[in-house]
Every structure is written in structure tokens, then in C-alpha cells.
Amino acid sequence: MTQEPLLRFGIIADPQYADRDPNPVLNRHFRGSLAKLSEAVATFEGEDLSFVMTLGDLIDRGWESFEAPLSIYQRSRHECLFLPGNHDFLVEPDRIAFVHAALGMPAPYYSFARSGIRFLVIDGCEESLFSTAADPGRHALASARLAALKAKGAENAMDWNAGISDRQFAWIAGQLEAARALGQKVIVMGHYPLHPATDHCLWDAEQLADLLAASPQVIAYLCGHDHRGGLGRAGTCWFVTFKGMVDTPSDNAFAWVDLYADRLEIRGFGREQSRSLPFA
């Protein structure tokens, strides 16, 4: 068994920071996420990480909430990457278009490579009630999508979920084909779970999970959003949902992931579970 990983990267999900009192009903402790982020970043400093990815919901709401958590990441010696979650768009309407830029993203969805592995960063919030609040045409489209799901009795027909466009789906398929042609393994990262089905899944979860499961080059899909966490497998793809950092008054939740030739090893901290996920 390989002793040294091909690469190691950090994972944080759902800090959901805001200067707000706790919500005991949902077990959300918004202010406490700053101390938890500081602990996670300090822990990562002692490791040789390729990058640190935050899987959405850096903030709970309010544009002013971005400054404090981002300042903590700025202390890190590692490259800190982000993707948006539903709460990141709960800002003033005239600021919605600038969320991706605030998170330092080169585009709403994109790919990059590390140690021969292709990473896809997808934008699950593309078609949603919150990301389109300042765009009446797109908002109407998202509302119609949600209404259609509700009419079908879909478990994930919730306004805190969202979907992706046909254009983004085609981009994902093209990235997977390009990776296959180059012999690259692929890890996909997004905010919303895809598999197994829950009330927190992406509106397009079944379609996208089927695509990833049918692509042998895809080894994992990593996400947040469902603060309970979760694990599933379809085809050769592991579907890992990381627990929310904002939950509980003081117990943290974050991880790093070691990628070996034959497996993923997740080292969980606090409430996050450690796992060994072998490849087929």
C-alpha cells in the first residue's frame, strides 16, 4: 500500500458566519464559526496541502459578513478556494452579482489540476430563487423549476436547494470526456449533495449523479449543505457530504483528504468522521 499520498487538501463546509445570535432550533451558532475557522486554518498550517476548499455557505447572510471569515483565510500559507452556497447569496440584491468575485473565484464554475488529478468546481446555485433575486427573468425560470418539482412530490423540492443549467451540465460532461481522453482521474466539488437522495439534494441530483457514476474516471464528489453529513457510492464514485462547521456551540468540523493511487483517506476533526474509501 502506498505510504505517501499523491496529494493532500483541506476541506471546510458551511461555516455560515454572521454576527447573529444562535438559532437553537436549527443548532446554528453563527458567531462561533470564527473561532472554529481559526482552529481549522491553524491545523492546516502544519500540513503540506495542495489547497483548502470551502464547500459553500461561508456566511449566513449579509454582505458585511464576508470580511471577518475571509480575513482568517488570509493568514493561511495555503491556497484557499471557495464555491458558493445558498446562504452566500443572502445579500443585498445589488451585491448578488459580485458573490463569486468576493470569494475570489475565476468563474462561477471551472476546473484545475493538481498532481495529475482534474478537479471540477461546479456552481449548484446557478438556477435558484436566491442567486437570481435581482434578475426577474432568471428568477421566474427558477421558480418554475421549483414548482414543477413540487408538483411531482420531489423530496428535494425546497427553496434552499437549487439547480444547474443545461449549459453547465454540458460543460461538466465535456470536462469528464477531456479527462478520460487524457487518462486523468476526476474529483468534483459542489455545495449540494447528489447521492443518496435527501431533501437537501441538488434539483438535478439524479441526472448529475448518474453522469458521474457512469464515468469511471470520476473517483469522488465532495459537498456540504446537508449539515448532518453523509456517504454514498454509485459506480466508481464516492459521494461524500461533509458536516456543517456552524453546528453546535463549540464542537468543530473540518477535514483533510489524502489521495492515494488506490483510495481516499479522510482525516476528520471534531464532529467530522474519518473514512477510508477504496477505489474499485
Side-chain angles (χ1 to χ4, degrees), residues 33-163:
S33 285
L34 294 184
K36 294 175 185 177
L37 278 173
S38 293
E39 180 187 9
V41 168
T43 301
F44 292 153
E45 286 300 279
E47 302 300 320
D48 183 16
L49 304 183
S50 293
F51 59 89
V52 174
M53 171 59 79
T54 298
L55 295 167
D57 285 359
L58 177 63
I59 65 168
D60 180 69
R61 65 193 61 209
W63 186 262
E64 70 282 356
S65 297
F66 281 117
E67 182 178 359
L70 286 174
S71 69
I72 294 173
Y73 287 95
Q74 288 167 3
R75 304 172 195 164
S76 176
R77 67 187 180 90
H78 298 113
E79 183 179 18
C80 294
L81 306 176
F82 301 87
L83 58 87
N86 50 308
H87 282 273
D88 295 314
F89 289 99
L90 300 185
V91 296
E92 296 78 2
D94 62 344
R95 299 280 194 169
I96 290 174
F98 301 101
V99 167
H100 296 99
L103 296 174
M105 299 177 64
Y109 48 91
Y110 65 99
S111 68
F112 64 93
R114 294 287 188 279
S115 301
I117 306 297
R118 183 176 299 218
F119 290 86
L120 306 189
V121 179
I122 68 170
D123 184 8
C125 298
E126 184 182 21
E127 295 189 353
S128 66
L129 300 187
F130 35 85
S131 71
T132 63
D135 187 328
R138 292 179 60 223
H139 192 76
L141 173 64
S143 297
R145 288 200 62 184
L146 180 56
L149 282 173
K150 287 183 175 179
K152 294 178 182 177
E155 182 183 16
N156 62 334
M158 303 292 181
D159 59 9
W160 63 71
N161 296 330

Side-chain angles (χ1 to χ4, degrees), residues 224-236:
H225 187 54
D226 189 339
H227 295 207
R228 300 166 293 189
L231 180 69
R233 195 177 194 185
T236 58

